[in-house]
Amino acid sequence: MRYATPASAKEAAGMLSKEKGAAFLLAGGTDLLVKLKMGMVEPDLVVDIKRIPKIDQIQTSAKGFTIGAAVSGSVIGQHKGLKAAWPGVVEAANLIGSDQIQGRATLAGNLCNASPAADSVPAMIAAGAKAVIVGPQKKRTVPVEKVVQGPGKTCLAKGEVIEAITLPKPEAKTGDAYLRFIPRTEMDIAVVGVAISLKLERGVVKKAKVALGAVAPTAVVVPAAARALVGSKLDDAALEKLAAACSAACNPIDDKRGTVEYRTRVAGVLAKRAAKIAFQRAGGAL
Amino acid sequence: MSNATLVSTTVNGDPVQFACPTDESLMTALRNRVGLTGVKEGCGTGDCGACTVTVDGSLVCSCLVLGVEAEGREVTTVEGLSQDGELHVLQQKFIDHAALQCGICTPGFLVAAKTLLDRNPNPNETEIRYALAGNLCRCTGYDKIVRAVQDAAKDMRKASKKRR
Amino acid sequence: MGHEQKYVDKKYEVVGTRFNRPDGIDKVTGKARYGADASAPGQLVGRVLRSPHAHASIVKINTSKAEKLPGVKAIITSADLPDVTGGDQGLADILENCMARGRALYDGHAVAAVAAVDEQTAAQALKLIDVKYKKLPHVTDVDEAMCESAPVIHDRIITRGVEPKPTKPSNVAARTQMGHGDIEAGFAEADVVIEKSYKTEQTHQGYIEPHACLASVNPDGTAELWVTTQGHFVFRNVCASLLGLDIAKLKVTSSEIGGGFGGKTHVWVEPVALALSRKANRPVKLVMGRDEVFRATGPTSSTSIDVKMGAKKDGTITAAVAEMRYQGGAFPGNWAMLGCMTAFACYDIKNNQSIGWDVVVNRPKVAAYRAPSAPMAAFAVESTIDELAKEIGIAPIDMRLKNVAREGTLAPYGPTYGPIGIEHTLKAVKDHPHMRAKLKKNQGRGVACGFWFNIGGQTCTDLNISVDGTVNLTLGTVDVGGSRSSMAMIAAEELGIPYEQVRANIADTTSLGHNDMTEGSRGTFSSGMATIFAARDAISVLKQRAAKMWGITEEDVIWENGQALATGDSHSNLPPLSLKEIAAKSGRTGGPIAGHNEVVADGAGMGFASHICDVEVDPETGRSTIVRYTVVQDAGKAINPDYVEGQFQGGATQGIGWALNEEYIYGDDGCLQNAGFLDYRIPVCSDLPFIDTQILEVPNPLHPYGVRGVGETSIVPPLAAVGNAIANATGVRMTHAPMSPPRVLAGIDTLEHAS
Ligand SMILES: Cc1cc2nc3c(=O)[nH]c(=O)nc-3n(C[C@H](O)[C@H](O)[C@H](O)COP(=O)(O)OP(=O)(O)OC[C@H]3O[C@@H](n4cnc5c(N)ncnc54)[C@H](O)[C@@H]3O)c2cc1C
Ligand code: FES
Ligand code: FES
């Protein structure tokens, strides 16, 4: 296995695209090194992006936030501006593993690992996050929900690298929230995850986006769930409709972490709870 | 050793060089090549925290870091906690409170607890419990560990007040 | 020398106080050396190839490609571990478990092993070993394994304990029955009868340190083994027998042990490491990965248990029967028998009967796990008692007190109890402020009791006094939870010197006589007894020497507070001689001063506990949170209360993990799906509240200080305590442990459908 530390995202992309054998990008390594240890991958080349200048920083601009691909969860958790703007995304990012995992894990890594249960992905989707993708030739920007195509599968072509994740500046009176269900309090992989972001106008939900994790091969956006909320003040009827829409959108599997029935059911339960948090964060009164 | 790379790094304040295969974890390199067997392996996959160290001040599982990534960084292990022949307050409190039974988890807990108290000198019980959730202990039920950390935090706050 | 084992009430100077442990500094600084922390010149790395199938015959193993890989020094299969067990089926089973012999019996069963110059080479070599399997039908569930249609795992197993003797082999290794009284008459007397079936899933001890050893075998048959174990003397005997070595020529040193809880009482990879070293003629270090620990070392049984109990309106239990099925993995064990022995042990039930079925399945060989077999039986019985109490309308705690076992009660497994502490723990629970604390919405409280025998066994201890008066205490029982400190305290107490003057060490197998495992909570009990006797031996030597120094007869010397005093009118002017002074002169008064003891310590004293658990259940997700927990247990005498509390807390936490989330999950293919800490969910720090403890001391009459074993009982009550708390929080009686969120939610659903 060769190990390389390129000085730019473009150089990283070049290295990956030229490699004939199995090549992997290394960000925090909290997925990649587990796979390496378990013999699930046998890389010929590992390209570590952490030495790329500024890739471990969060930039704030009038348009929003640009989170470098090597920014770890703990850095995200300490960023006051980001926390104020997208508390749901920050919470989701901080739910990933322990403090030790937080010292390394990245949003882009969580996304590219393409696990159906990735915590930050539904939250990023609900918040309208985009991935800035650098290839050996060109750069493109793709909404996060378009990146993952199936378990372990992304839209990235050979040689493409995510350089950063962007989050828009939130509009006035918006709030987001992410909740997941795990049997313990920490160190578990989500059995169900629900992210909701919404915008209020005079106390009524004007816009909403709902995304679910761990209930289908990829995170799913649930327009019907969003419609259930729009126009409501989060009354019980709206919440019931939301829950029903979320449960209906589930297409999970039975596995060691949860059954189809349980996941479907709990998706609705968490959706209601997440909606309330997002609503309050947007300034709504329950 | 195929694909060995020479790594120059700082461990517990001392310059250290070691050669390791590129796919070897920092945990294995520290244990087998630097001789710091206080870094424990409980799982090798980031789940138990026994291998916890800091790299440039940030808390990590050394089993999920490549040895080659340590190039030019500063690594601190449990062996670096006591200074000038004196135990760190946390180390003393772990002994005083019987916060260890078998002790295999202790190095990881100490590094994690120190990182917590450096960042937050006055954590409440819940904050302590969540900050230590990445460290598994199967012997103690965590009770005496949490108490030891609370007591150490108290002493450390007192000491830093005095210094000021 | 005969020593008095009987309990004598006295005031203690050292025992019962809190001291820091002698190994503390090494363990907080990273200096302590555990199983994987040793190395030897020229050592190789050992790795094991394991079966990916639940049950398969091994058609062919081709190692030729792997052998050609540069750096590979030895490859072994079962052919390199010939059966020299001489017809001892127990040993033959151990051998077969260490390395499959023609057939892989479970997912993870060792099939071959390599020793190579480094980790990378060893890993590559494993991939180059070509094993041709022929898959066989498998069974992993205990109830299914008992069915007529189940694939029979061992042709040699004919059920023991059944009359007439079966003619056909089956997966049922043995049937046991015990109890007393007239069951039918008992049920006829009952006003209320409750009958329920329970299931508990398989759990693992989950020690954080994987098995690890460093083995070195010489061509002349001498060998050394450094290993993490609960009993290096037993490991020595077993390994020597399996490899055909002379016992005295195999030196086994126990490393610091990173947790065992019973799981390190059995050999798994040690014979393999020795065989690799023998073949490679170099030291071999073999460290298991976490996934190997889960797949191929001994978890506890999964069970299926039926309980039927009857009681009168006043709460008197008139009859109780239990039928329990325990799987022992791929090899027969006596786990169901232990379940039978413990099930009703907390109670005085006139008519009781327990029937146990020991069953084999395609899972790893079961090993002891802290009070092995008792938690499952207690889950079933203690849950049923709560149901009975509810039906009758009496408080569960009063129901238990009404039927509690006392001194003189005939235990279901035979003996009549001496002084025991179960009633004391129940009364303490009843009076505990925890019982009166207010519960919030969705919260419930449960109480449950637990029992464990505790064992004594063979022990051998040395005590050597140095010329400066400091003392080396040499022990042969591995220190799994701070016992060195307790032993040093006992020696200091007996000798009348400060704790700091005693240094306790664990000796290797060439330095002491045989010591049994540290298991059955025997460490402090038996080594403590041997320490007392060794110290008393040393005291008599000290008295002889003092007499010599004074020139008086030994009869006129007594030992008090760490010094010799001359008694009798003629010597009253002689100033006392301290241990230090006598030690300083020992070279001239007869040589080194030492005490020694070997003993088969009997009468470890039964351990009883009652736990209180408050749980909060999320009615929408079925998730349970432990909000408060209290352990009340009889320790006989707490030598070092810190470590007694630690045992209570640790055991309770393991029980809580089992109650809530821990379980082996097997796929339809018979393979283990959650062989890692991410999905085998042991409690993490943020899952728990502080665990309150109350130590009671009902002296064990058969120990000089009244000590009882304390290590195990605390894992017995939690399953039922949690289950009873959930029942009180939700109205749902959980009969399947772990009571994970999906199971609890399903339970809540059935309740809602019913109403
Ligand atoms: C103990 C433990 C607990 C965990 N808990 C959780 C949890 O609670 N929730 C959760 O969602 N996950 C969890 N994870 C998984 C993991 O931590 C996360 O998925 C994490 O976000 C991955 O980020 P990383 O930077 O470490 O990824 P890496 O391991 O570095 O990379 C992951 C994959 O993405 C690719 N990749 C990384 N960065 C880029 C990039 N910029 N461009 C293109 N490809 C890239 C890599 O090649 C690799 O294939 C846990 C892992 C462990 C070990
Ligand atoms: S060994 Fe690194 S977390 Fe367990
Ligand atoms: S003290 Fe043994 S694992 Fe923590």
Side-chain angles (χ1 to χ4, degrees):
Chain A
M1 177 181 123
R2 277 163 293 116
Y3 170 78
T5 51
S8 70
K10 197 152 178 211
E11 190 188 346
M15 287 173 165
L16 290 173
S17 68
K18 277 197 222 97
E19 175 61 35
K20 298 226 168 55
F24 290 87
L25 203 80
L26 171 66
T30 58
D31 281 316
L32 189 64
L33 265 72
V34 172
K35 289 186 179 152
L36 194 65
K37 162 91 182 177
M38 302 312 289
M40 289 153 69
V41 295
E42 286 179 54
D44 295 295
L45 173 69
V46 162
V47 177
D48 183 354
I49 57 170
K50 290 193 292 297
R51 310 261 170 179
I52 297 173
K54 295 207 182 128
I55 198 153
D56 58 352
Q57 290 173 12
I58 302 173
Q59 321 273 355
T60 313
S61 72
K63 282 204 270 171
F65 304 90
T66 304
I67 303 166
V71 172
S72 71
S74 61
V75 171
I76 291 173
Q78 282 159 32
H79 195 281
K80 291 212 174 76
L82 197 56
K83 241 169 138 171
W86 294 108
V89 174
V90 174
E91 278 165 5
N94 288 163
L95 281 174
I96 298 171
S98 56
D99 277 15
Q100 285 88 331
I101 301 299
Q102 284 290 307
R104 301 260 295 171
T106 65
L107 290 178
N110 200 219
L111 179 61
C112 295
N113 187 55
S115 153
D119 280 310
S120 73
V121 175
M124 287 196 283
I125 292 175
K130 296 195 171 101
V132 181
I133 300 173
V134 174
Q137 265 83 43
K138 61 178 203 295
K139 199 163 168 170
R140 59 187 179 124
T141 300
V142 176
V144 162
E145 60 253 55
K146 297 264 165 64
V147 175
V148 183
Q149 299 183 327
K153 254 180 67 189
T154 66
C155 72
L156 299 188
K158 184 172 160 73
E160 280 191 319
V161 170
I162 294 183
E163 184 184 44
I165 300 284
T166 63
L167 279 166
K169 182 167 180 241
E171 296 174 49
K173 297 248 173 227
T174 58
D176 75 331
Y178 175 77
L179 291 177
R180 68 170 182 184
F181 181 82
I182 54 170
R184 293 183 287 191
T185 51
E186 272 281 2
M187 302 306 285
D188 276 336
I189 299 301
V191 177
V192 180
V194 181
I196 296 183
S197 81
L198 45 77
K199 177 177 163 56
L200 300 187
E201 217 174 78
R202 284 183 225 96
V204 175
V205 179
K206 177 83 189 306
K207 273 202 310 200
K209 193 161 184 185
V210 178
L212 306 179
V215 295
T218 66
V220 283
V221 181
V222 192
R227 282 197 299 276
L229 294 177
V230 171
S232 84
K233 288 185 174 171
L234 233 58
D235 48 277
D236 287 348
L239 287 172
E240 285 314 321
K241 253 169 81 187
L242 164 74
C246 285
S247 293
C250 292
N251 176 25
I253 50 165
D254 269 330
D255 70 1
K256 60 190 171 188
R257 293 181 184 141
T259 59
V260 169
E261 199 192 354
Y262 187 76
R263 286 185 150 121
T264 307
R265 174 87 167 269
V266 173
V269 172
L270 291 194
K272 289 193 273 185
R273 295 180 184 178
K276 287 184 191 167
I277 300 172
F279 187 75
Q280 281 171 314
R281 283 180 176 161
L286 282 174
Chain B
M1 218 197 303
S2 53
N3 282 320
T5 301
L6 190 66
V7 179
S8 303
T9 180
T10 304
V11 180
N12 299 328
D14 297 325
V16 167
Q17 284 201 328
F18 57 83
C20 76
T22 46
D23 60 356
E24 183 168 290
S25 71
L26 177 61
M27 171 187 74
T28 304
L30 288 170
R31 286 179 52 81
N32 295 353
R33 307 194 192 274
V34 189
L36 297 176
T37 53
V39 179
K40 299 299 178 198
E41 173 166 8
C43 67
T45 50
D47 306 321
C48 78
C51 66
T52 300
V53 303
T54 61
V55 176
D56 283 356
S58 94
L59 196 69
V60 299
C61 296
S62 59
C63 66
L64 294 188
V65 178
L66 293 173
V68 289
E69 287 185 68
E71 175 70 35
R73 310 276 191 208
E74 282 190 28
V75 179
T76 304
T77 71
V78 69
E79 286 93 342
L81 290 192
S82 58
Q83 305 248 303
D84 309 325
E86 283 217 13
L87 293 184
H88 188 277
V89 185
L90 275 162
Q91 291 174 312
Q92 189 59 51
K93 294 295 180 189
F94 265 58
I95 298 178
D96 293 348
H97 283 265
L100 52 140
Q101 281 176 33
C102 80
I104 194 88
C105 66
T106 310
F109 269 101
L110 287 168
V111 175
K114 179 173 181 296
T115 307
L116 165 68
L117 297 185
D118 288 348
R119 168 165 56 81
N120 176 3
N122 193 8
N124 63 29
E125 185 198 331
T126 305
E127 286 168 333
I128 294 175
R129 287 189 179 276
Y130 276 88
L132 299 179
N135 295 82
L136 298 179
C137 174
R138 192 58 159 170
C139 298
T140 64
Y142 306 103
D143 185 292
K144 292 179 189 297
I145 293 176
V146 175
R147 290 181 201 280
V149 174
Q150 287 177 325
D151 196 20
K154 209 166 96 200
D155 276 22
M156 285 164 71
R157 286 197 303 275
K158 260 194 236 148
S160 79
K161 244 192 222 145
K162 252 189 231 149
R163 251 181 274 131
R164 270 187 273 128
Chain C
M1 198 180 301
H3 286 285
E4 190 51 77
Q5 189 178 334
K6 265 214 325 261
Y7 170 70
V8 184
D9 190 18
K10 63 173 175 186
K11 226 182 128 276
Y12 297 100
E13 295 295 325
V14 184
V15 164
T17 58
R18 295 174 193 251
F19 277 107
N20 288 341
R21 55 199 281 164
D23 51 334
I25 291 182
D26 282 353
K27 287 184 174 169
V28 298
T29 53
K31 278 187 253 180
R33 295 200 314 152
Y34 293 81
D37 297 338
S39 31
Q43 93 189 8
L44 301 171
V45 174
R47 286 281 301 266
V48 178
L49 185 70
R50 299 187 177 279
S51 165
H53 305 299
H55 194 191
S57 52
I58 299 166
V59 181
K60 199 170 172 218
I61 305 181
N62 186 344
T63 58
S64 59
K65 266 199 209 136
E67 274 158 21
K68 287 195 198 102
L69 186 70
V72 171
K73 298 296 176 189
I75 300 179
I76 61 164
T77 64
S78 61
D80 299 277
L81 279 161
D83 187 346
V84 293
T85 57
D88 180 331
Q89 189 59 48
L91 271 177
D93 283 353
I94 296 175
L95 184 69
E96 186 174 4
N97 186 49
C98 287
M99 189 66 77
R101 308 182 84 76
R103 211 154 44 101
L105 298 173
Y106 54 91
D107 166 40
H109 198 171
V111 169
V114 300
V117 288
D118 60 25
E119 186 64 45
Q120 279 80 8
T121 312
Q124 214 182 331
L126 286 189
K127 286 192 198 135
L128 294 175
I129 298 175
D130 185 21
V131 186
K132 220 172 121 205
Y133 295 99
K134 186 171 160 275
K135 280 211 249 177
L136 299 170
H138 65 268
V139 61
T140 54
D141 180 80
V142 62
D143 289 326
E144 284 171 22
M146 290 179 75
C147 292
E148 194 73 26
S149 57
V152 172
I153 298 171
H154 294 287
D155 286 340
R156 63 169 185 271
I157 291 183
I158 306 279
T159 313
R160 280 182 290 116
V162 176
E163 287 302 330
K165 198 174 160 188
T167 50
K168 277 198 316 199
S170 74
N171 294 323
V172 182
R175 178 188 185 277
T176 9
Q177 182 176 333
M178 61 190 68
H180 53 253
D182 181 340
I183 299 303
E184 271 168 41
F187 280 116
E189 255 185 274
D191 297 315
V192 175
V193 174
I194 300 270
E195 201 172 347
K196 277 203 169 311
S197 295
Y198 299 85
K199 248 183 129 81
T200 66
E201 294 301 329
Q202 186 157 33
T203 58
H204 194 276
Q205 298 85 349
Y207 33 81
I208 306 301
E209 179 201 31
H211 299 263
C213 66
L214 174 58
S216 180
V217 182
N218 290 323
D220 65 356
T222 57
E224 290 191 22
L225 180 69
W226 161 275
V227 61
T228 173
T229 171
Q230 287 174 249
H232 43 314
F233 289 90
V234 176
F235 269 40
R236 173 190 64 173
N237 296 3
V238 172
C239 287
S241 308
L242 296 184
L243 279 107
L245 301 170
D246 293 334
I247 288 179
K249 290 184 190 161
L250 171 59
K251 173 181 170 183
V252 182
T253 308
S254 67
S255 69
E256 292 295 341
I257 173 172
F261 317 111
K264 288 178 184 159
T265 58
H266 303 235
V267 299
W268 312 103
V269 285
E270 296 77 9
V272 173
L274 285 162
L276 280 170
S277 171
R278 178 163 67 184
K279 192 160 183 185
N281 201 16
R282 277 168 71 169
V284 172
K285 181 162 164 179
L286 208 164
V287 181
M288 274 181 136
R290 176 55 54 184
D291 55 327
E292 295 181 277
V293 173
F294 278 115
R295 286 167 73 207
T297 70
T300 190
S301 308
S302 56
T303 72
S304 140
I305 300 175
D306 308 323
V307 176
K308 182 176 169 190
M309 297 178 86
K312 288 202 273 208
K313 281 209 183 82
D314 70 351
T316 310
I317 301 174
T318 56
V321 294
E323 186 154 353
M324 358 200 150
R325 297 161 290 271
Y326 282 56
Q327 57 84 1
F331 299 94
N334 57 0
W335 309 112
M337 185 183 79
L338 287 170
C340 289
M341 292 170 79
T342 57
F344 299 115
C346 293
Y347 303 102
D348 185 356
I349 303 174
K350 209 162 69 190
N351 311 295
N352 68 77
Q353 183 186 71
S354 302
I355 296 167
W357 301 93
D358 272 298
V359 181
V360 294
V361 297
N362 295 110
R363 295 195 188 208
K365 180 180 158 217
V366 163
Y369 177 19
R370 210 168 195 154
S373 300
M376 307 80 139
F379 175 58
V381 170
E382 293 290 312
S383 297
T384 309
I385 290 182
D386 259 40
E387 290 294 297
L388 261 184
K390 193 171 110 192
E391 194 68 29
I392 294 169
I394 163 174
I397 181 87
D398 293 328
M399 176 100 190
R400 288 181 170 82
L401 274 165
K402 176 110 197 158
N403 296 283
V404 74
R406 299 190 173 89
E407 181 167 3
T409 298
L410 178 62
Y413 63 98
T416 300
Y417 289 130
I420 53 171
I422 178 67
E423 186 173 16
H424 307 68
T425 65
L426 277 169
K427 283 186 170 153
V429 159
K430 195 170 176 182
D431 293 341
H432 201 286
H434 184 166
M435 288 297 276
R436 291 185 299 277
K438 259 216 139 88
L439 290 168
K440 298 197 187 114
K441 199 176 160 209
N442 296 325
Q443 295 186 345
R445 177 168 298 143
V447 168
C449 299
F451 158 84
W452 185 245
F453 316 88
N454 302 322
I455 61 170
Q458 303 179 62
T459 307
C460 180
T461 297
D462 265 349
L463 186 149
N464 287 289
I465 300 177
S466 321
V467 286
D468 64 355
T470 56
V471 174
N472 273 130
L473 181 63
T474 308
L475 305 160
T477 46
V478 172
D479 180 352
V480 297
S483 65
R484 265 168 295 191
S485 129
S486 305
M487 295 309 123
M489 287 168 75
I490 290 174
E493 182 75 48
E494 283 294 320
L495 295 170
I497 58 176
Y499 169 76
E500 291 73 21
Q501 222 167 299
V502 184
R503 181 82 194 166
N505 289 301
I506 312 297
D508 66 60
T509 56
T510 62
S511 313
L512 269 183
H514 178 85
N515 279 266
D516 284 340
M517 286 285 170
T518 303
E519 65 180 356
S521 301
R522 68 180 287 276
T524 302
F525 171 76
S526 64
S527 253
M529 185 122 70
T531 300
I532 292 172
F533 296 158
R536 290 180 184 173
D537 249 18
I539 288 171
S540 67
V541 179
L542 285 161
K543 289 197 307 197
Q544 283 165 23
R545 302 298 175 85
K548 205 163 182 182
M549 285 165 73
W550 280 321
I552 65 175
T553 61
E554 207 187 313
E555 287 70 46
D556 287 343
V557 183
I558 59 163
W559 189 261
E560 242 177 56
N561 299 327
Q563 49 188 13
L565 303 177
T567 56
D569 299 340
S570 47
H571 316 308
S572 56
N573 55 342
L574 290 170
L577 280 169
S578 72
L579 182 142
K580 268 194 184 166
E581 289 166 314
I582 302 169
K585 294 273 173 354
S586 58
R588 270 168 284 151
T589 58
I593 300 172
H596 178 82
N597 184 259
E598 56 261 323
V599 64
V600 180
D602 276 330
M606 290 85 184
F608 288 93
S610 301
H611 291 192
I612 319 168
C613 171
D614 290 359
V615 78
E616 181 169 322
V617 181
D618 181 338
E620 290 182 311
T621 63
R623 190 173 178 286
S624 306
T625 306
I626 307 293
V627 290
R628 186 167 176 181
Y629 203 96
T630 303
V631 176
V632 182
Q633 187 174 325
D634 170 23
K637 171 78 201 165
I639 300 291
N640 186 340
D642 274 339
Y643 287 95
V644 172
E645 287 167 11
Q647 290 294 322
F648 290 5
Q649 292 163 337
T653 299
Q654 287 182 320
I656 289 169
W658 193 343
L660 294 181
N661 286 307
E662 289 179 39
E663 64 178 307
Y664 267 39
I665 302 170
Y666 277 89
D668 291 338
D669 59 358
C671 293
L672 183 61
Q673 297 192 337
N674 59 335
F677 279 132
L678 200 56
D679 289 304
Y680 181 86
R681 303 181 177 106
I682 76 172
V684 301
C685 194
S686 47
D687 290 344
L688 296 166
F690 286 118
I691 309 286
D692 291 334
T693 57
Q694 188 178 346
I695 303 174
L696 302 185
E697 296 188 330
V698 180
N700 172 7
L702 288 178
H703 187 281
Y705 294 0
V707 167
R708 297 173 190 271
V710 297
E712 294 177 277
T713 311
S714 50
I715 199 177
V716 183
L719 274 76
V722 171
N724 289 340
I726 291 176
N728 290 329
T730 62
V732 181
R733 168 58 56 192
M734 298 301 299
T735 55
H736 192 168
M739 295 162 271
S740 57
R743 289 193 187 117
V744 173
L745 193 62
I748 293 173
D749 275 357
T750 45
L751 199 72
E752 275 165 9
H753 286 152
S755 66

